[in-house]
Amino acid sequence: MEEKDFPGLYQASDAASMQAQKNYKNIIAYDLVSMIVASALAIYNYQDTEPKLWIYIISGVLLLVSFTLTLVIRIKKFEDIWYQGRALAESCKTLTWRFIICSESFEIDIEKEKVKEKFIARLREFSNEFKELNESLNAKTIVLPIITDKMWEIRNLNTLERKDFYIINRINDQKDWYATKAEFNKKKYNNWFLVIISSQLIAILSIGYLIKCPESNWNLVGFFTTISASALSWLQLKQHQELKQAYTTAAQELNFIQASFGKVNSDLDLAEFVLDSENAISREHTLWLAQKRT
């Protein structure tokens, strides 16, 4: 399943969430960099008045930029759009997989028009639940088909074909994504933790230098303390360690669920298998959302 094969509501909410996430993280990054550069300007204690004046002016501009970016975050509410968009997109995606594989509420023996009505009704419920997102959704995307031709094509396959399609395109794809993201977040966590420790160590050494040479015009303490604090803030924002654990747990649970793959021989078995799998994926997303809101 490609992005274009999912309902327009999914595509619009997914795009809105990713854009809001990008904007939010970029503004936070610019904010932190502005403060780091401002602290870097205070490393050397100039004796002449003119250099000091320029340092003060530049530092003031950078701090004003940082203050403005903080206000932008508050006003634009990128974080809320990110979370709500992700929640809506994941809800639509799970519902779509249940529909095309004929799982709970969308069983194969339900008439086409009735199953279509059920699916549309559920999407309408999701849309109403997240109606605050409407102003952030792309109008041209939102009006794309609710049930695409690809969705009907997969739904009309026989039991074995639907089972194989689900394993390959949902379970395996999701497991690989979780595993890749888990290792990525582990690596990023270690890298940023190294930055924090290194900055704190250099700040301590700088204090030792100033104790030994109190007459020095060089002071690196504030600069590396700011780097350490900024790196810690970024680490808390990204939550690499928490995400690594959540993705690893989700991948492992999906692997256990897939172990029962051979027992799926009927539409009823497949419906239960899909329900268990989608519940496992939903739990990971629910955990992610809860961590982001704490």
Side-chain angles (χ1 to χ4, degrees):
M1 291 280 287
E2 300 178 10
E3 291 289 308
K4 63 182 180 64
D5 298 321
F6 286 89
L9 183 61
Y10 165 78
Q11 297 181 51
S13 56
D14 183 58
S17 177
M18 289 193 294
Q19 185 60 53
Q21 178 189 17
K22 180 180 178 181
N23 291 338
Y24 179 72
K25 291 184 176 180
N26 282 345
I27 291 176
I28 292 291
Y30 296 149
D31 197 345
L32 295 175
V33 169
S34 296
M35 290 188 289
I36 291 174
V37 175
S39 67
L41 295 174
I43 288 177
Y44 186 75
N45 182 25
Y46 290 94
Q47 300 303 312
D48 296 334
T49 302
E50 186 174 352
K52 277 188 176 182
L53 179 61
W54 281 107
I55 291 297
Y56 294 154
I57 292 174
I58 296 173
S59 297
V61 170
L62 289 171
L63 292 176
L64 180 60
V65 169
S66 178
F67 175 74
T68 303
L69 291 175
T70 302
L71 289 180
V72 169
I73 292 175
R74 176 66 177 175
I75 295 171
K76 291 294 186 179
K77 298 182 178 180
F78 290 124
E79 193 174 15
D80 289 342
I81 297 172
W82 171 18
Y83 299 163
Q84 292 183 28
R86 186 81 270 124
L88 177 55
E90 292 301 324
S91 296
C92 292
K93 194 171 191 178
T94 291
L95 191 70
T96 300
W97 279 106
R98 286 170 52 194
F99 173 85
I100 64 177
I101 308 299
C102 308
S103 186
E104 183 186 33
S105 300
F106 307 106
E107 287 81 0
I108 191 65
D109 56 349
I110 301 177
E111 294 180 6
K112 182 176 180 178
E113 287 304 315
K114 288 186 177 180
V115 78
K116 179 180 178 181
E117 290 175 4
K118 279 189 173 185
F119 185 78
I120 293 174
R122 290 298 304 277
L123 277 189
R124 183 179 288 112
E125 289 176 8
F126 292 152
S127 180
N128 291 335
E129 183 180 352
F130 296 95
K131 59 184 178 181
E132 294 179 359
L133 270 178
N134 286 344
E135 63 182 34
S136 302
L137 300 180
N138 185 290
K140 290 185 177 180
T141 305
I142 203 69
V143 297
L144 291 174
I146 294 177
I147 303 179
T148 63
D149 292 339
K150 186 67 174 182
M151 291 170 62
W152 284 121
E153 177 187 335
I154 303 305
R155 182 176 172 83
N156 290 331
L157 296 175
N158 62 44
T159 305
L160 180 59
E161 290 172 332
R162 278 185 280 115
K163 180 178 74 171
D164 290 341
F165 186 88
Y166 185 74
I167 289 294
I168 295 172
N169 294 277
R170 182 57 162 168
I171 300 297
N172 289 344
D173 182 73
Q174 200 69 35
K175 281 200 310 178
D176 290 343
W177 190 88
Y178 283 146
T180 300
K181 283 293 185 178
E183 291 306 307
F184 170 82
N185 280 282
K186 178 182 178 181
K187 182 178 180 180
K188 288 295 184 180
Y189 176 81
N190 291 335
N191 290 343
W192 280 110
F193 199 78
L194 180 61
V195 171
I196 295 170
I197 294 297
S198 300
S199 300
Q200 290 178 344
L201 180 59
I202 295 175
I204 293 172
L205 294 175
S206 298
I207 284 289
Y209 169 76
L210 291 176
I211 292 174
K212 185 176 181 181
C213 306
E215 73 286 354
S216 175
N217 290 321
W218 292 93
N219 187 344
L220 299 173
V221 177
F223 176 61
F224 283 101
T225 299
T226 303
I227 290 180
S228 177
S230 298
L232 183 59
S233 297
W234 187 252
L235 190 61
Q236 291 175 335
L237 169 68
K238 300 289 284 185
Q239 294 187 326
H240 289 301
Q241 181 68 3
E242 292 84 353
L243 289 175
K244 189 269 179 186
Q245 294 175 351
Y247 290 147
T248 300
T249 300
Q252 186 179 40
E253 186 170 0
L254 280 181
N255 204 42
F256 283 132
I257 292 174
Q258 190 176 356
S260 61
F261 165 67
K263 299 178 181 179
V264 177
N265 297 309
S266 67
D267 286 320
L268 179 59
D269 293 337
L270 182 58
E272 293 177 353
F273 179 79
V274 170
L275 185 60
D276 289 341
S277 301
E278 293 303 322
N279 284 340
I281 295 171
S282 296
R283 277 194 295 273
E284 180 278 324
H285 173 69
T286 301
L287 177 60
W288 172 86
L289 193 61
Q291 290 174 336
K292 288 296 183 181
R293 291 194 178 281
T294 56

